[in-house]
Amino acid sequence: MATSASAGKLFSGQETQQSSAISPTKLIWRRFLRNRLAIAGGIVLLLLYLSALFADFLAPIPHTDVHEDYVFVPPQLPRFRDKEGNFHLRPFVYGLESELDRDTFRWVHHVDYDTIYPIYFFVKGYEYKLFGLIPCDRHLYGVNAPGVFYLLGSDDLGHDMLARIFKGARISLTIGLLGVTLTIICGATLGTISGFYGGALDTLIQRIIEFLMSFPAIPLWAALAAAMPATWSPLQRFFAISVILSLIQWTGLARQVRAKVLAYREMEYTTAARAAGASDARIIFRHMLPNAFSHIIVVATLAIPGMILAETALSFLGLGIQPPQISWGALLKQAQLVSVLLQQPWLLIPAFFVIAAVLTFNFVGDGLRDAVDPFSL
Amino acid sequence: MQRFIIPRFLYMFVTMFFVSIVGFVIINLPPGSYMDVYRAQLEAQGTTTTERQLETIIRQYGLDQPIYVQYWKWISGFVQGDFGRSFAYNKDVSELIWERLTLTMLISISTLLVTWLIAIPIGIYSATHQYQPSDHFFTTVGMIGLSIPNFLLALIFMVIAAMVFDQSVGGLFSPAYEDAPWSLAKVWDLLKHMWIPVLVVGTSGTAGLIRMMRGNLLDVLKIAYITSARAKGLPERRVILVHAVRNAIHPLIMILGTSLPQIISGATIVSMVLSLPTTGPLYFNALLQQDMYLAGTFLIFLAGLLVIGNFLADILLVWIDPRIRYT
């Protein structure tokens, strides 16, 4: 690839000297940047992770705050024009009056067009710790005391959906990363051993992989999740779920790494390294894994969306993340009934975040796959 | 060919044996058992005669003995068609599962057929129209189809059906036919209800297949024999459909074995949302209530389907692709 790149530069008559020194990483990065969809996906993904990181800053109300008066408030849009048609430079929301409907026993919210609560930015609010370390009490937006501002509505306990979605993102978005890390460690190690040493060890590992693959994924995950003792702490559950999810996932990666290593074993450079007296470990870590690394990263990126979906499904069924912990799947649990959805459609908003995360991971993964392929132009 | 099939067939049984062991252990992992719950219920009712029945059950399944004895008692009954007892339903498991398994298989196989019928033509079309707007359109639709969780799609379908058609779409039968014996009218009623679960479960699979078919065909089209087929003047249609597709479809057959279990696996959650009388809801309830024999039987049946599916796919692959040596 480097030679063809330098040849191209040669014809255009520009610094031949420099371009012949482009590293493979730079070439991959260049090809990746050419893929607009992957770039857009990467940006959205970055925003999603940032919103999870700064969840406390972005939400005006703590996600655990219960408001009996503001149950099932529909999303409130910031307004610029009041009922007299005057334009306000500072956006505002109207006040809400809650009333219990005596016939249906449901809280009904009327918009009070006479009270106006301007939205202030970088307001002081509840205290939290930024990155878990720095004490902080600033929030991106908020309204003054008696007013409320539910940008994405509220749920059956008057929780702010926006705060819950961003807090839930912390679990939903990291469980895939953790699961994939375990998948890479397990899959790459066993795949390399299997391909490099061959023989009985290879057969054994391949049989184990085939065996694990003969379990239906979701029922097996559900059975394992159901086996978690109820006494486990949220952190233990979180780790256990990612272990459960990677339990099947690593098999696919191990097979692909094995195939790669089998091919590399026959390459001249491996023979050369061996002739130069390199140890097995050196051949594996210096020559084979760097070659397979880009491939592993692609497989891993494309495995994350599957894990996010799996966690969502498990939590949706009540087998995954348990309250008071929240994840997108756990949030969607309350949107299980059609009757609820018809009356409170905004409870489905977390689903769009799931779709966005999965879609963008797929875009980025696809872009990476095309970028690391040395035969693509 | 026989030299390939027979060992492969025997190997299938070995796998099933290990699957049954691991499945049984996993189902038994949760601390406590349904017997404790059951006994507590009975004690609350103050019945004493059932205490003896309880003793009989415990002795019959060896529930007071170590787990390998329990496993042995269960598996030796399993091969004779006695799958144990569902404590939650107070019935034999074999009474509960057959109809549900049949419906599950019916939905899964229809889904598989629909998926392939939709995906392969679109995949071929996308590959032959690479980077044209229509290809981009199908790629985007496919990506979205892959990204929407199945259960969410089921919810959306139900909301649309409730809002637009003003009908409920849950279940597989109209109330009139729910408990009716099988008849032509009931089959027709089933077909009328079945298209929603089939569509919902099929979406992600279809999207995956389209992408795979497109990629494979593009790879095959680069091979020299396609150029030579074109060079000798074959019509493009024949080059694609007869020469290229036949070779591009092999990897798809390889995943045929895994796609059926994936469909069954995905259908479990969809059937929870759509409240279908299939294995899904029964399985999850059994897990939550620690109704271990019921859950275990389902897990083993589902795994069995997967193993058989893989076996059939392997044979099919060897049969249609002479390049594969059976070793």
Side-chain angles (χ1 to χ4, degrees):
Chain A
M1 199 60 219
T3 45
S4 77
S6 62
K9 291 276 180 165
L10 200 70
F11 284 118
S12 59
Q14 289 169 351
E15 314 147 85
T16 339
Q17 285 277 303
Q18 266 192 353
S19 61
S20 64
I22 296 180
S23 69
T25 324
K26 250 189 184 157
L27 275 172
I28 289 173
W29 184 234
R30 254 188 208 181
R31 276 197 294 260
F32 183 76
L33 284 181
R34 225 180 292 157
N35 189 336
R36 296 231 179 88
L37 212 51
I39 295 296
I43 292 172
V44 174
L45 211 52
L46 195 67
L47 287 178
L48 280 174
Y49 274 98
L50 284 178
S51 67
L53 187 62
F54 294 102
D56 285 306
F57 172 69
L58 292 173
I61 318 167
H63 72 285
T64 45
D65 266 19
V66 174
H67 292 266
E68 288 94 345
D69 294 345
Y70 299 109
V71 169
F72 290 135
V73 175
Q76 291 168 286
L77 292 177
R79 290 161 196 269
F80 291 95
R81 221 170 261 285
D82 62 24
K83 62 170 183 172
E84 277 113 30
N86 299 323
F87 182 79
H88 294 248
L89 192 59
R90 180 175 287 286
F92 64 91
V93 287
Y94 289 118
L96 281 179
E97 274 171 15
S98 304
E99 188 189 1
L100 189 65
D101 187 326
R102 296 268 171 221
D103 296 327
T104 57
F105 284 100
R106 230 179 251 128
W107 285 97
V108 187
H109 307 287
H110 302 289
V111 177
D112 176 10
Y113 289 103
D114 293 323
T115 43
I116 277 176
Y117 295 105
I119 299 167
Y120 295 100
F121 293 94
F122 301 103
V123 291
K124 266 187 194 256
Y126 71 94
E127 284 189 10
Y128 62 94
K129 288 215 166 97
L130 200 61
F131 311 125
L133 292 171
I134 311 157
C136 198
D137 60 356
R138 291 279 164 187
H139 298 270
L140 182 62
Y141 64 90
V143 292
N144 282 335
V148 284
F149 182 24
Y150 292 109
L151 188 60
L152 297 179
S154 73
D155 67 2
D156 58 344
L157 291 173
H159 291 135
D160 181 16
M161 282 301 278
L162 181 118
R164 289 178 85 74
I165 287 173
F166 288 150
K167 272 283 159 82
R170 289 191 172 171
I171 285 183
S172 289
L173 289 176
T174 46
I175 216 159
L177 288 189
L178 187 64
V180 151
T181 314
L182 293 171
T183 303
I184 291 180
I185 295 172
C186 213
T189 316
L190 288 174
T192 314
I193 292 174
S194 189
F196 192 81
Y197 292 105
L201 203 57
D202 180 33
T203 317
L204 180 70
I205 293 174
Q206 290 313 305
R207 287 294 166 269
I208 293 175
I209 288 176
E210 274 167 34
F211 173 68
L212 281 176
M213 279 182 162
S214 46
F215 278 102
I218 292 175
L220 180 68
W221 287 332
L224 286 169
M228 275 190 277
T231 48
W232 279 9
S233 72
L235 198 66
Q236 276 174 315
R237 279 191 91 81
F238 174 78
F239 279 111
I241 289 173
S242 40
V243 169
I244 288 172
L245 293 184
S246 49
L247 196 66
I248 295 186
Q249 288 279 355
W250 72 266
T251 55
L253 183 72
R255 278 196 162 174
Q256 301 199 18
V257 171
R258 172 177 175 267
K260 289 268 162 194
V261 169
L262 276 180
Y264 297 149
R265 207 169 60 169
E266 308 302 322
M267 296 272 183
E268 282 93 349
Y269 64 76
T270 311
T271 322
R274 206 176 284 285
S279 64
D280 284 358
R282 190 177 163 83
I283 294 176
I284 289 175
F285 289 109
R286 289 292 301 171
H287 299 285
M288 291 183 164
L289 279 185
N291 259 322
F293 187 69
S294 55
H295 190 74
I296 293 174
I297 292 294
V298 172
V299 175
T301 316
L302 289 173
I304 296 175
M307 292 203 169
I308 294 178
L309 284 181
E311 184 276 323
T312 310
L314 280 183
S315 303
F316 178 73
L317 292 173
L319 289 167
I321 300 294
Q322 305 285 347
Q325 295 295 304
I326 41 173
S327 74
W328 289 339
L331 285 177
L332 283 171
K333 205 178 162 208
Q334 53 190 346
Q336 251 175 10
L337 295 173
V338 173
S339 54
V340 175
L341 282 184
L342 287 176
Q343 276 150 14
Q344 289 96 24
W346 59 90
L347 292 182
L348 212 53
I349 292 175
F352 293 101
F353 283 83
V354 177
I355 297 173
V358 170
L359 203 59
T360 48
F361 260 119
N362 273 327
F363 284 150
V364 172
D366 264 14
L368 279 179
R369 180 173 52 200
D370 291 346
V372 299
D373 179 8
F375 298 109
S376 78
L377 288 170
Chain B
M1 191 75 174
Q2 273 177 356
R3 278 224 316 259
F4 167 74
I5 293 181
I6 292 168
R8 186 69 188 71
F9 191 70
L10 292 177
Y11 175 62
M12 190 170 84
F13 281 98
V14 177
T15 314
M16 275 318 293
F17 174 67
F18 282 108
V19 165
S20 70
I21 293 180
V22 173
F24 190 78
V25 171
I26 290 173
I27 299 294
N28 274 293
L29 273 184
S33 77
Y34 191 77
M35 291 314 282
D36 305 334
V37 185
Y38 194 52
R39 182 174 287 139
Q41 273 176 7
L42 289 178
E43 267 165 19
Q45 290 165 0
T47 39
T48 45
T49 42
T50 41
E51 184 65 29
R52 203 171 299 139
Q53 289 175 1
L54 220 63
E55 288 298 320
T56 333
I57 292 175
I58 288 179
R59 197 162 316 127
Q60 188 184 351
Y61 295 107
L63 293 181
D64 49 351
Q65 280 162 354
I67 187 161
Y68 55 87
V69 180
Q70 289 183 38
Y71 169 74
W72 182 248
K73 287 201 180 219
W74 180 61
I75 202 71
S76 47
F78 198 97
V79 290
Q80 293 163 23
D82 172 18
F83 306 135
R85 198 168 176 76
S86 161
F87 302 121
Y89 289 86
N90 206 6
K91 276 183 183 169
D92 280 340
V93 170
S94 52
E95 283 177 52
L96 286 165
I97 59 167
W98 286 119
E99 185 164 323
R100 282 175 181 259
L101 271 178
T102 320
L103 285 174
T104 305
M105 282 311 286
L106 184 70
I107 289 183
S108 308
I109 291 175
S110 337
T111 308
L112 193 69
L113 288 179
V114 170
T115 315
W116 279 58
L117 281 180
I118 298 176
I120 291 180
I122 295 182
I124 295 173
Y125 181 87
S126 273
T128 47
H129 296 74
Q130 193 190 8
Y131 298 141
Q132 284 175 21
S134 49
D135 174 36
H136 285 306
F137 171 75
F138 283 125
T139 308
T140 317
V141 171
M143 276 283 205
I144 295 173
L146 265 179
S147 311
I148 299 184
N150 271 343
F151 63 86
L152 186 70
L153 210 59
L155 279 176
I156 293 171
F157 263 89
M158 283 172 82
V159 170
I160 291 175
M163 272 171 22
V164 180
F165 305 111
D166 198 28
Q167 78 174 88
S168 77
V169 291
L172 274 180
F173 301 103
S174 308
Y177 290 104
E178 198 129 357
D179 295 317
W182 283 98
S183 63
L184 270 182
K186 187 170 178 177
V187 172
W188 175 239
D189 186 57
L190 174 67
L191 287 179
K192 273 197 294 188
H193 283 81
M194 222 172 73
W195 65 275
I196 289 183
V198 165
L199 270 189
V200 168
V201 178
T203 354
S204 62
T206 312
L209 271 183
I210 291 177
R211 292 166 58 74
M212 218 171 149
M213 185 69 212
R214 178 179 177 274
N216 292 340
L217 192 56
L218 283 175
D219 285 347
V220 171
L221 285 175
K222 281 180 205 149
I223 303 177
Y225 82 96
I226 295 294
T227 319
S228 79
R230 280 186 183 136
K232 71 183 181 188
L234 282 185
E236 184 66 17
R237 212 183 155 74
R238 205 176 148 75
V239 172
I240 301 288
L241 293 184
V242 178
H243 290 241
V245 169
R246 196 181 270 184
N247 273 321
I249 219 158
H250 290 158
L252 265 70
I253 297 203
M254 220 148 75
I255 63 148
L256 185 64
T258 48
S259 53
L260 188 62
Q262 262 170 19
I263 287 173
I264 295 175
S265 182
T268 41
I269 292 180
V270 172
S271 52
M272 285 288 282
V273 178
L274 292 174
S275 59
L276 307 177
T278 53
T279 47
L282 207 60
Y283 176 70
F284 283 115
N285 283 334
L287 278 182
L288 290 174
Q289 295 176 323
Q290 297 187 14
D291 197 353
M292 53 189 187
Y293 290 123
L294 187 56
T297 307
F298 274 132
L299 190 62
I300 284 171
F301 264 98
L302 294 178
L305 286 174
L306 212 161
V307 173
I308 294 171
N310 274 335
F311 171 67
L312 292 180
D314 276 4
I315 289 178
L316 198 62
L317 196 64
V318 172
W319 184 52
I320 64 156
D321 191 345
R323 286 173 303 182
I324 292 177
R325 285 163 297 154
Y326 10 101
T327 42

